[in-house]
Structures are given as C-alpha cells and as structure tokens.
Amino acid sequence: MITAERKPMEELTECMKPFGRILLVGCNECVTVCAAGGRKEVGLLSSALQMHFMKENKPFEVKELTLERQCDPEYVEELAPHINQVDAVLSMACGCGVQEIARRYKEKPVFPAVNTKFMGASESQGVWAERCAGCGDCVLGITGGVCPIARCSKQLFNGPCGGSTNGKCEIDSSVDCAWQLIWDRLKALGKVDLYEENIAAKDWRTGRGGGPRKIIREDLAS
Amino acid sequence: MQNFEPVIVAFCCHYCAYTAADMAGSKRLGYPPNVKIIRVPCSGKVDAIHMMKALEKGADGVYVAGCLDGDCHFKTGNIRAARHVEAVKKLLDEIGIEKERVEMFSMSAGMGEKFAEVASEFTERIRKLGPNPVKTSAFAQVRQAVG
C-alpha cells in the first residue's frame, strides 16, 4: 500500500486559517489501512481543526466526506455537489488523490493533510516499512523475494557493502541488511547459485530516471 | 468561573470501573455528579475519536477507566486504551488545549473507593483548569445556540 502520515497540526491550522468552510476528504484505500486518512482519521482531524479554531474564536466549518478512492475520477466526481459550498478542500489521501481533486476542481484550492511516504507493508500492528521503490523492472525473482532497491540503504546490486554487520545495516542497527536477508532466503530456498549471478547495471529509465511514467493498456483504454 | 461546574465524561469498562461505580453506590460513597458515565464493553474500545468528540461537543474533561495491569477481560484492552489516551493528549497539545483534560485510570471491580476518589480528584483538576476553551469562545456559543 501507499503509506502516509498526518502533517503536524501547526502546519494544517496555518494553511486552513484563511478559510471559513472546508471540505475534508478521506480515502477508503491505502491511507485507511495505514490509519492516516480514512473515515476515522477524517473525523479526528475535523474535530481537532474545529476545536482549534473555536478556541481562536474563528468561525470554521468542516464538511467530512470519505471517498472510495481519491485517485479515480469516477469517485472524485462525488465531490461535485459539495464543492461550491466550501472555500477549500483538505485531502487526507496520498499525493495521487490530492492531485486528482486539483485536476477536477480547478477553481478550488486543495491542500494535502498528510505527507505521502512510501510503498510499504505492515510489519505488525501500527508498524509499516518500505518494501517497493517502483523501479519498473522487478528483480525479486532472483533476489529471493527481498528487494535490494527498496530495502538496501545504498540500493546495491550484487551483494552487501562493507557496512553490513551481524545482519544489520550501518546506517542504523535497527535496519536489516537487505543482502543478509537475500542470502538467508536464497539459502533457505536452496538457490544460493543465484547469488553468484552478476546482475547487470540497472537501467533506471524504467524508474523515475525516465521522467513521469504512464501505463497504457490498449485493450482497456478508451 | 466561580460557578463553573465541569462536565466530565468517564468511559468506564463494564468489567471493572463501571462495577466499581456500582460498588461506590452500594457503599454509599459520594462522588461528584459532574461525572457522566458511559459504559463500554472494554476500555480498549474507546477510540481517540470518542474522546475528541466529547471535548468538541463541550465536555471539560474526559477520562477512561479500565482494568488493572494484567487484568483486562480481553487481555490487552486497557493497554490499548492507555495508548489512545496518550494519542489524544498529544493531539490536544498540538492544538493548544491542556492535555490534562484527558486521563487514563485503572481500577478493579471491587475498588468502589478508588472510583469515588478518581472521580473527585479529576473533577477538582478540571475545576482548577477552568472551562474547556472550545466552549467559551463566542463563536462556539453561537454554534451551540444554533444547534
């Protein structure tokens, strides 16, 4: 999922200060799962913002709405009946959702309420960790299902650097060395020969190196 | 301020604090009528949103009363409740409202005295803090009048 964290209240109250009536929009997808911008977080932020402005004696109204997905135009369309009743939109979705609202409602100021972080997985209740860097050319099949790009601090191919100690990364002893994880997994699979294979220098054009990316499925596109 | 009577919402676990309140009643122990009890199946069920909405709607203080450490009927509900209370304290701090307005307490079902003591002490704490700044603003009063 795409993970996110709510911005500090100080930043949010500052950017909402010029407005008297806002639409606070959550998203039922990734940000709900990582407890950053689902229906519950919308309620909590709405409460916090209203309490802050009531304390400041400033009229401030929040309309709460949580869409099924903010990154799809079909769902963003559901904001249409409400958009003219508000001065601004505060979105609790990832950056994709914020931009989709901005694209559809050009006249309305839109602000992000969360900082979008990374593509990650849940390690345990309340803990999310980065797992995929979206490089566009997946190597997980030869690295035992552990990504050296997302999980190695130096994004190294072909083995660890000299900073790998007791299975931990030199940047922080709480960070696993991705190449140790790869080695352990290949050993468990009986595939250590894969470790000996040289991976060629990566072509980063499939990732962000090639500029903004797009997928066009001819069979689906209209 | 002199006539200020705080409104306090107490989320009480069915298995401990709520029964402790009953016990306080049976023992004829008095506690302030300011405390409005809401019975919950487990203190862990009380989410940040419940505490925040109570404060937003005009409560001057909110507390959650759960089981003693290791005694939760659902094993870890009381630990989760304490974390939820901490999260609300942090959020209140961020928006400039006294974090002392929310608190977590632990007690067993037999602790009628403790229930009455907590209710009295917390009421006094909130009395000293004064009214919730959210409901004293002129705008909030207009909002409440309009409904």
Side-chain angles (χ1 to χ4, degrees):
Chain A
M1 85 195 88
I2 295 172
T3 59
E5 269 184 322
R6 179 177 55 76
K7 283 176 175 287
M9 283 307 297
E10 198 182 351
E11 185 181 341
L12 293 175
T13 50
E14 194 54 36
C15 71
M16 287 298 106
K17 210 194 274 181
F19 310 108
R21 188 178 291 178
I22 68 151
L23 189 57
L24 181 57
V25 193
C27 177
N28 259 344
E29 294 285 344
C30 315
V31 288
T32 293
V33 183
C34 69
R39 187 169 283 120
K40 193 190 273 185
E41 290 73 31
V42 164
L44 206 53
L45 179 58
S46 161
S47 214
L49 284 171
Q50 289 186 82
M51 282 168 72
H52 171 81
F53 287 117
M54 269 196 262
K55 183 175 63 78
E56 305 283 309
N57 217 2
K58 174 190 166 10
F60 190 78
E61 275 179 52
V62 180
K63 179 160 184 60
E64 301 170 25
L65 257 176
T66 300
L67 301 179
E68 200 53 41
R69 264 200 300 282
Q70 266 191 51
C71 53
D72 264 338
E74 289 84 353
Y75 295 109
V76 171
E77 199 56 39
E78 290 172 17
L79 300 182
H82 311 281
I83 207 83
N84 288 329
Q85 298 161 22
V86 296
D87 308 322
V89 179
L90 183 59
S91 164
M92 296 200 85
C94 69
C96 309
V98 179
Q99 290 184 64
E100 196 47 38
I101 293 176
R103 185 196 62 77
R104 169 62 182 81
Y105 304 104
K106 292 187 170 54
E107 317 280 302
K108 204 58 69 180
V110 182
F111 297 87
V114 301
N115 290 322
T116 307
K117 295 284 184 167
F118 49 78
M119 281 188 275
S122 172
E123 283 190 340
S124 60
Q125 176 77 15
V127 180
W128 295 274
E130 188 161 16
R131 289 288 181 267
C132 177
C135 72
D137 185 16
C138 192
V139 294
L140 287 170
I142 51 171
T143 57
V146 177
C147 180
I149 299 167
R151 300 179 70 176
C152 167
S153 304
K154 293 175 181 172
Q155 305 189 325
L156 287 182
F157 275 174
N158 301 305
C161 69
S164 175
T165 313
N166 297 324
K168 298 294 176 188
C169 175
E170 65 181 344
I171 64 149
D172 189 329
S173 59
S174 69
V175 176
D176 288 323
C177 167
W179 276 99
Q180 182 70 53
L181 297 175
I182 292 170
W183 173 252
D184 292 344
R185 175 94 168 111
L186 289 178
K187 236 175 19 176
L189 292 170
K191 293 275 187 190
V192 285
D193 51 313
L194 283 176
Y195 187 78
E196 298 294 325
E197 267 185 37
N198 276 332
I199 307 174
K202 190 166 176 61
D203 181 350
W204 291 103
R205 283 175 300 181
T206 58
R208 282 287 298 149
R213 292 168 283 175
K214 191 180 267 191
I215 296 171
I216 301 174
R217 275 275 301 267
E218 301 287 358
D219 56 332
L220 298 175
S222 53
Chain B
M1 276 289 276
Q2 271 185 338
N3 298 324
F4 168 57
E5 279 303 333
V7 175
I8 289 162
V9 174
F11 291 101
C12 296
C13 160
H14 165 79
Y15 292 95
C16 55
Y18 191 79
T19 314
D22 257 357
M23 182 69 81
S26 307
K27 290 188 170 181
R28 304 287 185 265
L29 299 169
Y31 62 87
N34 309 61
V35 177
K36 320 289 179 204
I37 297 174
I38 296 176
R39 181 170 66 157
V40 290
C42 173
S43 59
K45 186 66 194 148
V46 182
D47 197 85
I49 188 89
H50 302 120
M51 294 179 251
M52 286 296 283
K53 285 288 171 197
L55 290 167
E56 184 198 329
K57 302 286 179 195
D60 298 294
V62 176
Y63 68 85
V64 181
C67 301
L68 297 170
D69 275 4
D71 276 357
C72 174
H73 190 75
F74 301 99
K75 294 193 173 165
T76 54
N78 50 354
I79 297 167
R80 286 194 291 124
R83 286 184 189 160
H84 296 163
V85 169
E86 277 311 306
V88 174
K89 278 179 179 278
K90 211 172 144 206
L91 187 54
L92 289 179
D93 212 26
E94 275 194 273
I95 56 173
I97 291 173
E98 305 92 338
K99 60 183 177 194
E100 293 77 16
R101 291 188 184 276
V102 292
E103 202 55 80
M104 173 82 200
F105 295 105
S106 303
M107 62 192 72
S108 76
M111 293 176 159
E113 289 86 357
K114 173 84 183 270
F115 181 87
E117 194 180 299
V118 159
S120 305
E121 280 179 17
F122 192 76
T123 306
E124 275 322 297
R125 179 203 286 194
I126 302 300
R127 205 187 295 279
K128 277 186 194 134
L129 278 176
N132 177 353
V134 164
K135 70 175 182 188
T136 52
S137 78
F139 168 62
Q141 281 167 2
V142 170
R143 202 173 93 135
Q144 272 184 351
V146 173

